[in-house]
Amino acid sequence: MPNTSDTSEDHVTEPSTEPNYLVGLDLRGRRVVVVGGGTVAARRLGLLIASGADVHVVSREVTPTVEGMASAGQITVTLRDYADGDLAEAWYAIACTDEPETNAAIVAEAERRRVFCVRADNARLGTAVTPATARYEGLSIGVLAGGAHRRSAAVRNGLLEALQSGTVADDSTPVTPGVALVGGGPGDPDLITVRGRRLLARADIVVADRLAPPELLAELGPHVQVVDAAKIPYGRAMAQEAINTALVEGAKAGKFVVRLKGGDPYVFGRGYEEVEACVAAGVPVTVVPGVTSPISVPGAAGIPVTHRGVTHEFVVVSGHVAPDHPDSLVDWPALARLRGTLVLMMAVERIEQFADALLAGGRPAGTPAAVIQEGTLRTQRVLRADLGTVAARVRAEGIRPPAIIVVGPTAAFAVDDAEVLTGSENG
């Protein structure tokens, strides 16, 4: 009697010349043999290890990456030529040597043993083909294009990006009401995290900071309510209590609320205060870390905050209050004695006072300094000076917030022979 129950996943078919049957293999604890230990093998091994396979590599020599996997106990390696019989007890095999005749022999043994085998140098001559794959939030995505590897990779990448951005929904169930604190990154909309962008695409209400990438708001559907929670330096600002109330009331009204902040929610932001308000009100809250500006903005300007042999520490300091203010929690004399990198945030308004405090504490006037305005954006400006002159240069050049100030040896670094592209310029 025929089996009429179909337990496979839903599928759509169309006429195709693709000869391969796409299927997921459960390789947990099962022997997989990879012949070849070069870069091609290294690219395949990561997924095999992640799948829980019992991976054995046979090769005359292996790359440092493959050797590291063996040293970590993730795979076993036998350093010798392939020999007939190496596929005994295998469930799956990959032939990826640089010798076509050896790969052919591996496939021949696999066929005798009824073991599916991928031939990396010529996919059509194997008995299995590796699809372009990706994993996303519990999904495994595989694309085959009849051996057209660039096409399958392009489709895989497009589908993955669509899932990450929320253009393609991976779940038809409604989002549970609650709050997500999402770090939007330093400014370039491409630098928000994958998870942050996905949650933003599912929001009913977005409570947005002034420094949150505005291009992300333009992607929202017309049904999404956007609450302007901007805090203009020394100007208009939405009170923190009002922001907390908007988050809690939105969630209690059955909405999914995204609090979109610049940078990272916890780096000189009030993210934890917002978490406390949600928890106190019994509202579920999720925190999505963001790419933080004190590291990423100097990096986009070609300035590393650390460099081997130059600095062993970097310190991020808030310039929200002056050094002599009674509310200041910063030990400026101690900072002045450090030899590494200081990154000052929200410091343009009081740059003279901060520079004077560091000079008074013993930091040499010739210490390199750099100021990056609107970092990672197309409007990015970089001013280079030293600690003794940086304040005057900032005023003369009309530097304004948002800006990051870097003080220390690495602030003098510059890439002269090649252009450093930020995400927005290289996107």
Side-chain angles (χ1 to χ4, degrees):
M1 184 174 180
N3 183 354
T4 57
S5 63
D6 184 5
T7 58
S8 65
E9 298 185 44
D10 293 340
H11 61 277
V12 177
T13 62
E14 64 175 22
S16 173
T17 58
E18 173 62 63
N20 297 105
Y21 181 77
L22 193 61
V23 64
L25 298 179
D26 181 359
L27 295 175
R28 289 174 295 177
R30 296 187 166 109
R31 181 180 177 87
V32 174
V33 177
V34 178
V35 183
T39 56
V40 174
R43 291 174 59 182
R44 308 293 177 95
L45 289 172
L47 283 177
L48 290 172
I49 292 169
S51 72
D54 178 20
V55 183
H56 299 266
V57 174
V58 178
S59 182
R60 283 193 296 269
E61 55 184 351
V62 298
T63 66
T65 297
V66 176
E67 181 181 345
M69 293 174 178
S71 298
Q74 298 172 312
I75 63 174
T76 65
V77 172
T78 301
L79 294 175
R80 60 165 172 77
D81 288 330
Y82 160 78
D84 189 75
D86 281 340
L87 303 190
E89 306 299 326
W91 289 68
Y92 185 64
I94 302 178
C96 51
T97 77
D98 57 3
E99 301 165 353
E101 62 277 8
T102 300
N103 291 337
I106 297 165
V107 172
E109 181 188 351
E111 291 204 31
R112 291 198 313 271
R113 295 182 181 276
R114 297 189 177 183
V115 175
F116 282 109
C117 181
V118 173
R119 180 166 168 175
D121 62 335
N122 191 329
R124 296 183 183 278
L125 297 181
T127 56
V129 177
T130 302
T133 61
R135 291 183 178 175
Y136 171 80
E137 297 289 328
L139 295 176
S140 293
I141 302 166
V143 180
L144 292 176
H149 301 303
R150 290 188 179 183
R151 184 185 183 199
S152 61
V155 172
R156 181 270 318 274
N157 293 343
L159 181 55
L160 183 59
E161 183 175 346
L163 285 166
Q164 293 168 345
S165 67
T167 303
V168 173
D170 65 312
D171 190 351
S172 61
T173 59
V175 180
T176 302
V179 172
L181 270 62
V182 174
D188 183 339
D190 285 344
L191 296 180
I192 188 174
T193 64
V194 169
R195 189 180 187 196
R197 195 163 202 145
R198 178 172 60 84
L199 292 180
L200 185 63
R202 306 189 73 184
D204 299 306
I205 301 173
V206 175
V207 181
D209 268 1
R210 180 179 66 92
L211 296 179
E215 294 93 335
L216 295 174
L217 301 180
E219 299 176 359
L220 299 174
H223 67 284
V224 179
Q225 177 188 353
V226 178
V227 177
D228 184 355
K231 288 183 172 65
I232 299 174
Y234 316 103
R236 296 169 57 193
M238 184 176 182
Q240 187 61 49
E241 292 76 11
I243 294 174
N244 295 348
T245 299
L247 300 178
V248 170
E249 290 186 350
K252 286 194 169 182
K255 305 294 185 180
F256 179 56
V257 185
V258 169
R259 174 70 168 109
L260 183 61
K261 305 170 76 70
D264 180 273
Y266 285 171
V267 179
F268 297 134
R270 299 184 180 181
Y272 197 71
E273 295 178 37
E274 293 162 359
V275 168
E276 289 179 314
C278 291
V279 171
V283 170
V285 60
T286 300
V287 178
V288 181
V291 177
T292 188
S293 59
I295 299 173
S296 59
V297 166
I303 299 171
V305 293
T306 67
H307 188 68
R308 184 174 60 170
V310 176
T311 173
H312 288 176
E313 83 277 337
F314 70 94
V315 179
V316 181
V317 184
S318 169
H320 186 64
V321 295
D324 58 353
H325 194 284
D327 291 341
S328 176
L329 302 176
V330 179
D331 187 342
W332 286 96
L335 289 181
R337 291 192 296 271
L338 295 178
R339 298 166 59 186
T341 305
L342 300 181
V343 181
L344 307 181
M345 300 176 64
M346 303 174 287
V348 170
E349 182 71 15
R350 300 184 179 88
I351 181 61
E352 292 88 354
Q353 294 168 274
F354 299 132
D356 288 345
L358 293 171
L359 291 169
R363 193 80 165 190
T367 302
V371 184
I372 306 104
Q373 176 183 303
E374 298 177 358
T376 76
L377 301 178
R378 295 184 182 278
T379 53
Q380 173 177 295
R381 296 175 60 192
V382 180
L383 180 152
R384 296 182 183 273
D386 56 42
L387 186 57
T389 61
V390 65
R393 291 284 308 283
V394 163
R395 301 306 175 212
E397 298 291 335
I399 298 295
R400 63 184 187 279
I404 297 290
I405 301 169
V406 184
V407 178
T410 62
F413 285 19
V415 181
D416 298 324
D417 298 328
E419 183 180 5
V420 177
L421 299 178
T422 66
S424 61
E425 293 168 329
N426 202 25

